Amino acid sequence: MIDLTGLSKSFGPRVLWQDLTFTIEAGRMLALTGPSGSGKSTLLNCLGLLDTPTTGTMRHHDQNITRLSPRRARAYRRDTLGYLFQNYALIDNATVADNLSVAIKPVRSNHGSRPTLAQSLEQVGLAGRGDDIVHRLSGGEQQRVALARLIVKQPAIVLADEPTGALDLDNTHMVIATLRALADAGCAVVIATHDAIVRDLCDSVLQVGITTHPQPAKEITAA
Ligand SMILES: Nc1ncnc2c1ncn2[C@@H]1O[C@H](COP(=O)(O)OP(=O)(O)OP(=O)(O)O)[C@@H](O)[C@H]1O
């Protein structure tokens, strides 16, 4: 799905990570772990075309996406990517339904049929809450809205940055279950996380700045 070749990132003399050469596969969940400041978010930003690697290339299918023009990068993000953040990144003063409608607009998708807005809310336990204003929801409910937004969009790739950082255990499991369902439907999921629960439920783990390719999650857990 996304082939990384010799990818590295430095800020001045400081090398965050280097020699990343591996494939991010459809249908799999990859955890990015590592201490604070190791460069997990920076790697997600490169994958999301919000930053550029210092060396190396990124290919999505046959397209070299390493240094797209701003217009092409916007189209790629719109058509291919879904995001999940610790702070939810919703439109606070709009309704739940309006937040989801924004994600429905892109017409191109790898998936034939997408769940409706009502189905997506039901899947995350928010059936009938489409008219609620987002800022009145709890943090856990807001992250469920962000998950419903991914369900209606069905992106080819999900980039998640500490998506469970502010959540209790129930909501953490809701996040993981939803991301797993997206992966089972063919999505590639990449999650930067400090949470061992999340890491252990992924398929593979890249220890950013330490390893240059992902290892099976089971090997990390056993270590
Ligand atoms: N534009 C920039 N210019 C210079 N340094 C930067 C820039 N962006 C990020 N950095 C530095 O790169 C390092 C990695 O940051 P990043 O946010 O990717 O780490 P992280 O592993 O996601 O950390 P955390 O777990 O705390 O979220 C940090 O030391 C940060 O200050």
Side-chain angles (χ1 to χ4, degrees):
M1 156 96 44
I2 308 178
D3 291 309
L4 310 183
T5 309
L7 214 65
S8 75
K9 182 68 178 178
S10 307
F11 288 114
R14 182 167 170 221
V15 179
L16 289 185
W17 31 262
Q18 58 188 342
D19 294 335
L20 300 187
T21 300
F22 60 88
T23 300
I24 296 173
E25 291 171 46
R28 309 273 292 173
M29 293 173 65
L30 167 66
L32 307 180
T33 67
S36 183
S38 56
K40 302 180 293 297
S41 298
T42 304
L43 179 51
L44 280 183
N45 287 342
C46 288
L47 294 172
L49 312 191
L50 299 167
D51 198 348
T52 45
T54 308
T55 66
T57 57
M58 304 185 292
R59 300 187 75 85
H60 177 235
H61 298 306
D62 286 335
Q63 186 186 16
N64 186 335
I65 58 167
T66 321
R67 285 179 180 77
L68 292 183
S69 68
R71 190 174 62 83
R72 283 173 179 249
R74 267 198 308 279
Y76 174 83
R77 284 194 292 271
R78 182 194 64 211
D79 295 339
T80 312
L81 300 182
Y83 293 96
L84 198 61
F85 297 100
Q86 180 170 355
N87 65 359
Y88 326 122
L90 299 167
I91 308 165
D92 278 354
N93 55 2
T95 64
V96 168
D98 285 344
N99 270 275
L100 299 192
S101 300
V102 171
I104 292 175
K105 280 179 189 154
V107 283
R108 273 174 281 172
S109 165
N110 286 356
H111 302 266
S113 65
R114 300 178 195 195
T116 64
L117 198 147
Q119 286 167 336
S120 73
L121 286 179
E122 197 174 334
Q123 277 185 46
V124 299
L126 291 177
R129 304 285 295 275
D131 291 334
D132 287 12
I133 302 290
V134 160
H135 71 75
R136 299 214 181 101
L137 302 178
S138 72
E141 287 171 336
Q142 291 193 36
Q143 194 61 308
R144 287 171 188 241
V145 175
L147 288 171
R149 187 173 55 181
L150 291 177
I151 293 169
V152 293
K153 183 168 183 181
Q154 296 278 311
I157 301 160
V158 169
L159 303 175
D161 201 348
E162 289 292 348
T164 62
L167 302 182
D168 65 12
L169 202 55
D170 277 355
N171 282 302
T172 294
H173 281 291
M174 169 65 76
V175 167
I176 295 299
T178 304
L179 293 178
R180 177 58 72 186
L182 287 165
D184 288 345
C187 175
V189 178
V190 186
I191 314 173
T193 187
H194 289 286
D195 188 337
I197 296 173
V198 176
R199 179 199 65 197
D200 292 349
L201 291 168
C202 287
D203 301 302
S204 53
V205 180
L206 178 74
Q207 296 174 275
V208 174
I210 300 169
T211 54
T212 55
H213 55 273
Q215 299 165 270
K218 287 189 185 83
E219 287 179 14
I220 307 285
T221 309

